[in-house]
Amino acid sequence: MQDTDTFRADTRAWLQANCPESMRQPITPDEMVWSGSSVRFGSEDQRLWFERMRDRGWFAPGWPAALGGGGLTPRQARIVEEEMLRLGCRQPQFNLGVWMLGPVLLELGTEAQKQEHLVPMMQGRARWCQGFSEPNAGSDLASLKTAARIEDNGDFVINGSKIWTSYGDAADWMYALVRTDPTARKQEGISFVLIDMKSPGITVKPIELISGKSSFCEVFFDEVRVPARQLVGPLHGGWTVAKKLLQHERAAMSKFSEGSAPSHDALAVARPYLFDADGTLLEPVWRDRLAALLMDSQAFGLTHQRVLEQAMARMDVSGPSSIMKLVQTEQEVAKYELLMQVMGQRGLSWEGDEFSSQEHDIGRLWLLSKTYTIAGGSSEVQLNIIAKRVLGLPG
Ligand SMILES: Cc1cc2nc3c(=O)[nH]c(=O)nc-3n(C[C@H](O)[C@H](O)[C@H](O)COP(=O)(O)OP(=O)(O)OC[C@H]3O[C@@H](n4cnc5c(N)ncnc54)[C@H](O)[C@@H]3O)c2cc1C
């Protein structure tokens, strides 16, 4: 095996040669390439970058090569991420499957499930959505009511509805929690199943948002049949599977500052508002606030690095994943609130339906940043988890 320095140098050289210049610019939400059966590219560079990374197995560098991953060690996979970050490379594709479901299937999936789902996921051919939340089951997820009747042959027949399903209208598959035993204690009667979104009986309705964009959907199930082989983990044991998945979701969300979501370099955006052409500081008060923000962000980066090292050493990071999710998403909100204040009314500018230029995005990304503190479990819920599981405080 190559030593670490050689691997890093080779990785950097490959990225420099293969990542087009336009794919090294900060990404806006409209420029994100979502994998799936109907993947769409806004430019030739997007397509090239997608295909090159896919063919190298670097949609998930640390997954087994036999399943389409890169077959790298955890250390090498981290080096790929670090070098992408260093060169400012965009994520070549976005897919809940790779971030959240994939690691769960790698751990708990049957061989047949791995072949059926991980391979298309790795090739960017399947788009996944998450069917957890329901109208009265968000933070209190275990109260979910969508029911799965179990047929004699083990198949499931699903009735009920899900809400806030991001991109449910564009997804090929959904991983979902359904109630399979209504008589058991609420956490013990839930199963985790994989649902083909083309199944008869599924209706998807988009929900409009304040930002003007609609990624949310409601999904209705009317006698939807799901084959028995699509059960992940034990029957009625879906709660444990879901907790694992949520850990991966939180880990993915704590990587937002590493390019896994559109974001801005606060200093670059604020600089013209804070300094004149000679570099003279115009607003000392803003300087102090910006410096505090940058120090917090630096401290977060170092702590994040430590947690990643712990994960690579196979230490339990379930507690830290909640801390990192909480801090990262609250820092994003703090950053955009400061930028909005520094920019004054220019921060409120809003042009057309599309995310247009870096500066015009600020207002919209400020709104978007607030949603991150709710998705994947709200900040208050993360605080509860940290209090209970990390600090050991009474419930
Ligand atoms: C951008 C975004 C994307 C999402 N995508 C998906 C998706 O793809 N699939 C999916 O299934 N869901 C998705 N969700 C839904 C998300 O998981 C829920 O919104 C979230 O779990 C909160 O649930 P709720 O909206 O029902 O709010 P509620 O649970 O009703 O909470 C309302 C408020 O009460 C607080 N609260 C609730 N319980 C407690 C408590 N015990 N202690 C202290 N405070 C509490 C919450 O923090 C919140 O402020 C998404 C949400 C967002 C914002």
Side-chain angles (χ1 to χ4, degrees):
M1 191 188 297
Q2 276 181 321
D3 71 62
T4 306
D5 290 343
T6 312
F7 180 79
R8 188 181 290 281
D10 288 353
T11 300
R12 191 176 304 172
W14 187 87
L15 289 171
Q16 269 163 340
N18 287 283
C19 182
E21 196 52 46
S22 67
M23 294 295 104
R24 297 189 209 174
Q25 311 301 323
I27 196 167
T28 68
D30 291 324
E31 291 167 332
M32 292 161 82
V33 175
W34 291 91
S35 280
S37 56
S38 55
V39 58
R40 275 199 290 275
F41 301 105
S43 70
E44 182 60 12
D45 280 353
Q46 279 183 342
R47 190 183 59 76
L48 270 179
W49 180 224
F50 177 96
E51 289 177 355
R52 287 172 179 168
M53 287 292 274
R54 176 198 63 197
D55 294 347
R56 204 167 171 84
W58 281 6
F59 283 173
W63 289 13
L67 296 168
L72 302 182
T73 64
R75 164 70 53 207
Q76 289 172 327
R78 182 61 193 156
I79 289 174
V80 173
E81 289 177 353
E82 286 170 358
E83 291 305 314
M84 285 177 68
L85 193 60
R86 187 196 302 269
L87 293 173
C89 305
R90 291 179 177 180
Q91 293 299 318
Q93 59 109 35
F94 291 80
N95 191 339
L96 298 198
V98 175
W99 291 341
M100 302 174 200
L101 177 65
V104 169
L105 286 184
L106 276 174
E107 186 183 343
L108 299 173
T110 61
E111 228 18 74
Q113 284 171 344
K114 289 180 189 171
Q115 289 300 330
E116 181 176 358
H117 296 300
L118 292 181
V119 174
M121 207 183 270
M122 276 298 85
Q123 293 168 346
R125 288 191 283 113
R127 183 163 179 178
W128 287 82
C129 65
Q130 174 170 298
F132 282 9
S133 306
E134 295 182 11
N136 291 310
S139 302
D140 182 16
L141 184 58
S143 291
L144 61 93
K145 290 203 163 51
T146 293
R149 196 173 69 238
I150 305 168
E151 302 285 89
D152 290 344
N153 63 358
D155 286 0
F156 302 93
V157 177
I158 300 180
N159 285 286
S161 69
K162 296 287 173 182
I163 197 166
W164 312 127
T165 314
S166 300
Y167 303 104
D169 51 351
D172 301 300
W173 284 83
M174 169 189 275
Y175 54 86
L177 292 176
V178 291
R179 186 157 301 285
T180 39
D181 182 358
T183 62
R185 260 175 22 108
K186 62 181 185 177
Q187 279 90 350
E188 289 163 13
I190 293 172
S191 297
F192 188 107
V193 292
L194 309 178
I195 306 174
D196 185 340
M197 291 296 281
K198 292 187 296 302
S199 310
I202 295 183
T203 310
V204 182
K205 289 193 182 158
I207 305 169
E208 193 147 334
L209 295 181
I210 187 176
S211 65
K213 299 266 166 180
S214 176
S215 59
F216 285 137
C217 294
E218 281 179 283
V219 182
F220 299 90
F221 302 89
D222 179 11
E223 292 286 294
V224 174
R225 183 167 288 272
V226 173
R229 68 171 194 283
Q230 302 297 1
L231 171 73
V232 179
L235 184 65
H236 313 314
W239 190 245
T240 312
V241 184
K243 281 200 290 190
K244 283 186 191 289
L245 189 132
L246 287 170
Q247 259 180 43
H248 293 296
E249 178 168 11
R250 288 164 193 158
M253 291 183 77
S254 54
K255 284 190 179 176
F256 278 1
S257 53
E258 295 196 350
S260 63
S263 191
H264 285 91
D265 175 342
L267 188 55
V269 175
R271 195 182 292 279
Y273 297 88
L274 300 183
F275 298 91
D276 68 13
D278 304 330
T280 309
L281 182 69
L282 300 173
E283 293 281 1
V285 174
W286 294 132
R287 176 195 57 189
D288 289 352
R289 291 189 55 194
L290 190 62
L293 189 91
L294 296 176
M295 283 193 288
D296 283 349
S297 158
Q298 184 73 10
F300 175 82
L302 292 171
T303 312
H304 189 227
Q305 186 62 34
R306 177 166 59 78
V307 173
L308 291 172
E309 300 279 341
Q310 288 172 331
M312 281 189 262
R314 306 217 176 279
M315 290 166 70
D316 176 16
V317 291
S318 49
S321 79
S322 281
I323 300 175
M324 303 315 284
K325 192 268 176 182
L326 171 76
V327 175
Q328 167 72 95
T329 54
E330 291 293 342
Q331 277 190 1
E332 278 295 290
V333 174
K335 176 171 85 181
Y336 279 103
E337 291 193 340
L338 180 61
L339 288 178
M340 294 285 284
Q341 288 169 10
V342 168
M343 291 171 73
Q345 65 184 33
R346 293 192 64 184
L348 293 170
S349 61
W350 196 288
E351 281 189 4
D353 282 345
E354 302 301 314
F355 282 83
S356 46
S357 74
Q358 282 302 295
E359 199 162 292
H360 290 133
D361 291 344
I362 297 290
R364 260 194 278 235
L365 279 170
W366 167 63
L367 288 175
L368 195 62
S369 69
K370 290 177 180 291
T371 70
Y372 300 149
T373 65
I374 303 169
S378 67
S379 290
E380 291 77 12
V381 166
Q382 302 312 313
L383 285 169
N384 283 344
I385 295 172
I386 294 162
K388 216 166 134 186
R389 292 213 210 117
V390 181
L391 301 176
L393 298 176

